[in-house]
């Protein structure tokens, strides 16, 4: 990323924000050469990926939908944008590598939950309760228990 003032290529990210409406990432940078501060925007590319929905319809994959879901699930604090950024990178990589050119909406939900579980267990539960549309509290309680006992725990 070139500094607009001195063309230096060495800059440092001082702040990262997810822009809610577009699911895009805005970064504040500071040039390490001349100290000039500037902003950059990153927008998730819509891929060639097709999503098959439960009702049999297909639609174009839209990463912004996932970002909006994550924003609802993750408690907004100073770390939330960074969390979403990390999760989105992992999700998009997984989808691209394993599911291109077609993925079911169900699998997207599972991938999102898998990532959330590792980074923010509370947000994971919130997301899972909406996504899975739990009808029985038992099922939800079981999920809570599963979280309390991590499977990779050494006994
Ligand atoms: Zn500069």
């Amino acid at each position: 990323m070139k500094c607009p003032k001195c063309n230096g290529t060495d800059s440092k990210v001082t702040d990262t924000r997810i822009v809610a409406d577009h699911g895009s990432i805005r970064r504040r940078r500071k040039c390490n050469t001349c100290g000039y501060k500037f902003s950059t925007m990153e927008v998730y590319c819509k891929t060639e990926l097709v999503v098959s929905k439960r009702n049999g319809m297909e639609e174009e994959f839209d990463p912004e939908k996932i970002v909006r879901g994550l924003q609802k699930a993750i408690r907004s604090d100073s770390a939330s944008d960074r969390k979403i950024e990390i999760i989105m990178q992992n999700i998009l990589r997984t989808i691209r590598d394993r599911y291109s050119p077609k993925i079911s909406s169900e699998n997207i939900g599972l991938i999102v939950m898998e990532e959330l579980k590792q980074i923010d267990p509370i947000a994971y539960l919130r997301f899972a309760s909406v996504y899975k549309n739990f009808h029985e509290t038992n099922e939800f309680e079981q999920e809570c228990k599963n979280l309390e006992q991590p499977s990779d725990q050494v006994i």
Side-chain angles (χ1 to χ4, degrees), residues 3 5-8 31 33-36:
C3 166
K5 203 174 173 191
C6 74
N7 271 340
C31 174
T33 310
C34 72
Y36 186 69

Side-chain angles (χ1 to χ4, degrees), residues 57-108:
M57 303 283 279
E58 291 187 347
E59 65 179 24
E60 195 185 351
F61 175 67
D62 183 1
E64 289 169 22
K65 280 188 184 168
I66 302 179
V67 171
R68 283 197 294 272
L70 291 172
Q71 283 170 331
K72 275 183 205 152
I74 292 177
R75 193 168 59 90
S76 181
D77 60 28
S78 57
S80 56
D81 284 348
R82 181 76 189 126
K83 278 183 198 166
I84 292 174
E85 197 192 339
I86 294 169
I87 292 170
M88 282 308 291
Q89 278 167 359
N90 291 343
I91 290 171
L92 293 177
R93 194 186 311 121
T94 304
I95 293 176
R96 251 199 325 263
D97 291 355
R98 292 195 214 152
Y99 294 93
S100 199
K102 194 188 273 193
I103 186 168
S104 66
S105 54
E106 201 170 0
N107 276 335
I108 292 178

